[in-house]
Amino acid sequence: MTSIHFPDGFLWGTATAAYQIEGAWDEDGKGESIWDRLCHTPGMIADGSTGDVACDHYHRWPEDVASMAAMGVKAYRFSIAWPRIFPTGGVQVEPRGVDFYRRLIAALREQDIQPVVTLYHWDLPQALQDRGGWINRDTALRFAEYADFAFRTFGNDVPLWVTHNEPLIAAFFGYGNGTNAPGLRRSRDVLTVGHHLLLSHGLAVQAFRAARLRSATPGAPDPRIGIVLMIWPHHPASRHPRDVAAAQRSDGAMNRLFLEPLFHGRYPDDMLRHFRRRLMVPRVAPGDMEIIAAPIDFLGVNTYTRLIQRADPRDLFVGARQVDPRGPTTAMGWEIYPSCIYEALMKARAYTDLPLYITESGAAFEERIDPDGGIADADRIAYLRDHIAQCRRAIQDGVDLRGYFVWSLLDNFEWNHGFSQRFGLIFTDYGTLKRTWKRSAYWYRDVIAENGV
Ligand code: IFM
């Protein structure tokens, strides 16, 4: 295989999210989140597990930071648990939660690892859910206050800020089909939830601009702000016009419904018409779209596979059903389709020429520790290699791609799949919480050192 090199300064990173790794769910004054509540509700998580302990990163973070330093990663994307800082969503600050993130950020900077901080990776304070959660417009205002606090507290030490991770999942899976927290099936409110998430993003961007952050590192660029969207390509199962239209609708719901408001200040007309027939109408107040479309500095793209869609009127939301993958899959059942990276980046570029980052890319496979103590995850190495090659292809075709973040640093709590899906470069033994580098971690260390594959 020929070698592939990346532009100088390309940001090689790893990614995690608070609920998936931290544990310590009720320690040091942390408030309950909607994921705590969902996981404590019997029957909601495939293997009956919870994130109560998860990877115990809350206590073992020095070891995890040391691991990243040894791997040579340039950036670490993690999220702040909102209820760790504001146990009930606002007003009362919990200083022990603030200290935890302050120490983590300082340790990363000491190792020359850039912190990339996501403000919302789905763990809403339960106290806000009790007042309607994201159906209630007030939650967007509370989010802006929390964001403002985070900017003013940690801002100068964080070069890249992300308002939301995959608002699509928070809206459709949290409030639509109920598989994710808060586990509601309120299809008529889903678009309003999505709208309030986007509105809260725009309000946070306003707070960010008002905070006028300056880099703590002399000569380094000042902190920047963006959002992370899930952008997966949607392909029709056949050339039949019904399937083509089905793929357009699912692309509309998953991708365009978020890209268009952020970059064009409006929702896609075809999707508004489609959803109106299903009595799904977002509650938009005058001025909201301008707030949502406020200029940002970069866009993060999470992409893992493609979806092949067939028309199916029984589907509640888009009238489309995913057909079986057309090739080998990961343990999640997701087709291994490296071109998803290229197609997702091209899709993003059709909306913006802002710098882009692949903020998540990775795969779960079934694996265990070999008798010799190693974990020979050749399938993950092949996956990452082929997906990274697609990043290079996009750069060659003019995409301003600035970085690539492997999901995930370590095996962790995969939401409603519990601990059954291992995405990590590092193996987590959930009994002892011992971490063991998989072969892919060593491989990634070499990729970073050589700035290429
Ligand atoms: O684990 C998730 C992450 O929290 C959001 N993006 C997709 C990952 C894999 O499913």
Side-chain angles (χ1 to χ4, degrees), residues 156-369:
N156 297 332
D157 287 315
V158 176
L160 296 176
W161 282 95
V162 172
T163 54
H164 283 278
N165 179 74
E166 302 174 359
L168 160 90
I169 299 289
F172 279 81
F173 289 68
Y175 291 78
N177 66 19
T179 55
N180 283 23
L184 300 179
R185 289 173 185 234
R186 307 241 325 223
S187 61
R188 291 192 193 169
D189 291 316
V190 162
L191 296 192
T192 295
V193 167
H195 180 69
H196 288 158
L197 287 162
L198 287 173
L199 178 65
S200 75
H201 154 84
L203 293 171
V205 172
Q206 285 181 349
F208 181 85
R209 301 288 178 224
R212 294 180 173 280
L213 303 180
R214 292 288 166 257
S215 171
T217 313
D222 290 329
R224 292 176 293 142
I225 191 158
I227 187 168
V228 165
L229 298 182
M230 169 173 171
I231 304 184
W232 293 14
H234 291 246
H235 294 172
S238 76
R239 274 185 288 184
H240 192 290
R242 270 202 304 267
D243 291 342
V244 172
Q248 265 161 8
R249 282 195 305 275
S250 61
D251 169 67
M254 195 161 156
N255 299 327
R256 291 186 286 121
L257 200 59
F258 295 88
L259 283 163
E260 285 211 23
L262 286 165
F263 295 107
H264 297 163
R266 57 165 192 263
Y267 287 109
D269 280 341
D270 62 328
M271 295 315 295
L272 285 183
R273 276 198 306 275
H274 167 81
F275 282 128
R276 202 171 300 128
R277 287 197 291 273
R278 285 166 155 73
L279 304 177
M280 295 166 70
V281 179
R283 265 184 266 136
V284 181
D288 283 1
M289 301 315 288
E290 289 73 21
I291 296 172
I292 290 171
I296 52 177
D297 304 319
F298 67 89
L299 175 66
V301 174
N302 291 355
T303 191
Y304 289 83
T305 184
R306 66 167 168 176
L307 299 175
I308 307 173
Q309 304 286 4
R310 189 181 292 293
D312 185 347
R314 286 168 303 181
D315 174 74
L316 178 64
F317 294 113
V318 287
R321 171 173 52 87
Q322 245 170 266
V323 304
D324 287 343
R326 301 215 167 129
T329 61
T330 67
M332 291 289 280
W334 295 346
E335 181 181 350
I336 299 176
Y337 181 74
S339 179
C340 68
I341 294 261
Y342 183 83
E343 292 175 37
L345 289 171
M346 286 303 174
K347 176 120 207 150
R349 204 180 60 154
Y351 284 87
T352 176
D353 52 15
L354 283 175
L356 303 178
Y357 293 85
I358 292 291
T359 33
E360 285 182 27
S361 166
F365 293 104
E366 273 164 32
E367 53 211 358
R368 61 177 59 85
I369 302 197

Side-chain angles (χ1 to χ4, degrees), residues 20 121-122 165-166 302 304 334 360 407 414-415 423:
Q20 295 180 270
H121 202 122
W122 311 345
N165 179 74
E166 302 174 359
N302 291 355
Y304 289 83
W334 295 346
E360 285 182 27
W407 184 270
E414 177 57 21
W415 307 113
F423 276 90

